[in-house]
Amino acid sequence: GAAVHLPEPLSTPHSLRGRSLSDFDGSFKYGRDSNGDYKVLRVLTDCHNKQFPEQLFEILSLDESSRYHMRWRAKKALPMCVRRDAIGGVVINGVVYFLLDGRPNGVKNAHRESYEMDHMALFDLCSERWISYLEGPMATHPEMNNIDEILPEPLEMSVYQNLSLSELSGALVVAQYTDYRSAEIKSYVDLWYLMDSEKQIWEKKYRIVLEMDTWDTEHIFPHAHPSLILDDGRILIYITVHLANFEGQYTRRVMRLYDPETDTLGSDLVDVKNIHSIGFFSGSLLSIQNGQGL
């Protein structure tokens, strides 16, 4: 139940460039490094130039003995931007996995080599360095990503795809969501599991078909994201839908349970509107009541 106030000022190298925190939008990744220390990685994005936004990276340690004089430490930036949304990055075993944004980091990198949408940058919380890049399942299995194969006949239609990252029972999972923008073809999400990081081997374990009654006919840019695995093996799917109707725009957030054994997706557990985000606590509520740490 403890709360820690993170320092706002930029790290010294970044502040010496004449920048201020108000120039950036911030996002955060929190986790433990291989030594067991808690750390926070801050991604600062200057979006004044939409085509070539600049990103800065800073890190700090959540050390109880130094909580009142914590300072951000500047880290090396990447040539490409990373995704800042909550489902675009995940922390597993002390490593932060970021999906790349697809845009160069700043004008100076405008002519850098482009990357596929499922390429990832890996940041090690212990060494506090970028350690490698990782190709995702779409790049390593191009033969399995032909969206035309599912069409009953050659059609001209809009297809929307979105990727998200999850940690499911210690494994890195890429959720590949595909929506054909058609009431005739059901949208679905493929769950790709990383089996070998060194050889970059991915296995598509599940395809979850999302029934159309989940959506409104005027839905736009939905996301389907696996969030956690229950003790009985069922997977909680967190679905975000942006809708537009005559009353204006609003957001629905739906949660459903997928059973891998029966290949079925249950009815809505939760269906709420205009909620910014939903978090999940997988520990014991008794520890909170007893005042114990999480």
Side-chain angles (χ1 to χ4, degrees):
V4 177
H5 178 73
L6 299 178
E8 294 184 3
L10 297 175
S11 61
T12 300
H14 291 155
S15 62
L16 291 177
R17 294 172 51 187
R19 308 303 300 271
S20 65
L21 189 62
S22 60
D23 295 334
F24 301 92
D25 293 328
S27 60
F28 303 84
K29 293 299 176 187
Y30 162 75
R32 302 181 75 173
D33 66 18
S34 56
N35 292 326
D37 298 324
Y38 290 97
K39 293 183 178 179
V40 178
L41 180 64
R42 179 163 75 170
V43 183
L44 300 171
T45 305
D46 183 354
C47 295
H48 289 98
N49 187 333
K50 296 294 184 180
Q51 185 177 6
F52 304 117
E54 181 184 13
Q55 282 188 337
L56 306 178
F57 298 86
E58 299 182 336
I59 196 170
L60 62 74
S61 301
L62 295 180
D63 185 351
E64 184 68 25
S65 63
S66 60
R67 61 185 300 180
Y68 297 107
H69 50 85
M70 292 185 297
R71 295 291 184 271
W72 292 104
R73 302 183 291 276
K75 295 291 120 180
K76 181 181 179 181
L78 291 172
M80 300 292 292
C81 289
V82 301
R83 277 178 46 177
R84 299 174 294 143
D85 55 317
I87 61 176
V90 67
V91 182
I92 303 177
N93 296 327
V95 176
V96 188
Y97 296 80
F98 284 106
L99 285 168
L100 295 181
D101 182 285
R103 296 176 294 178
N105 187 359
V107 178
K108 64 182 179 180
N109 294 317
H111 302 293
R112 291 270 184 169
E113 179 183 355
S114 61
Y115 294 86
E116 298 293 336
M117 65 181 297
D118 65 338
H119 280 196
M120 291 165 241
L122 279 58
F123 184 89
D124 182 69
L125 291 176
C126 187
S127 64
E128 301 185 359
R129 294 180 179 180
W130 298 102
I131 53 176
S132 63
Y133 287 96
L134 178 64
E135 290 187 351
M138 298 173 67
T140 55
H141 293 79
E143 75 284 354
M144 300 182 66
N145 192 46
N146 187 355
I147 59 177
D148 293 330
E149 291 181 354
I150 198 172
L151 299 178
E153 59 185 58
L155 296 174
E156 292 287 339
M157 63 191 317
S158 175
V159 180
Y160 169 76
Q161 285 194 320
N162 181 66
L163 300 181
S164 65
L165 299 182
S166 298
E167 180 270 320
L168 297 180
S169 297
L172 174 64
V173 177
V174 171
Q176 179 186 354
Y177 174 80
T178 303
D179 184 2
Y180 286 88
R181 297 289 193 249
S182 169
E184 299 178 0
I185 304 176
K186 295 178 180 179
S187 56
Y188 57 87
V189 57
D190 292 328
L191 300 189
W192 293 85
Y193 284 66
L194 180 63
M195 309 305 293
D196 190 316
S197 58
E198 293 185 1
K199 297 181 180 180
Q200 302 191 102
I201 297 177
W202 296 86
E203 178 183 345
K204 185 170 68 175
K205 290 193 174 183
Y206 310 112
R207 168 165 289 184
I208 304 172
V209 177
L210 304 176
E211 299 295 334
M212 289 305 297
D213 58 7
T214 306
W215 320 117
D216 187 286
T217 56
E218 298 174 321
H219 75 278
I220 56 174
F221 299 109
H223 308 280
H225 178 64
S227 298
L228 56 89
I229 297 181
L230 304 185
D231 291 340
D232 60 7
R234 290 180 297 171
I235 303 174
L236 184 66
I237 305 296
Y238 178 21
I239 303 167
T240 300
V241 191
H242 301 291
L243 301 121
N245 57 23
F246 64 91
E247 297 178 348
Q249 294 187 357
Y250 63 94
T251 300
R252 285 178 61 200
R253 301 192 185 274
V254 178
M255 283 184 286
R256 289 184 164 188
L257 281 173
Y258 172 72
D259 189 336
E261 291 191 2
T262 60
D263 189 26
T264 55
L265 188 66
S267 57
D268 298 345
L269 294 175
V270 175
D271 187 348
V272 293
K273 298 179 181 178
N274 294 328
I275 299 296
H276 182 271
S277 61
I278 296 176
F280 303 95
F281 175 63
S282 58
S284 170
L285 295 178
L286 294 177
S287 63
I288 298 179
Q289 296 173 357
N290 296 333
Q292 299 175 3
L294 304 182

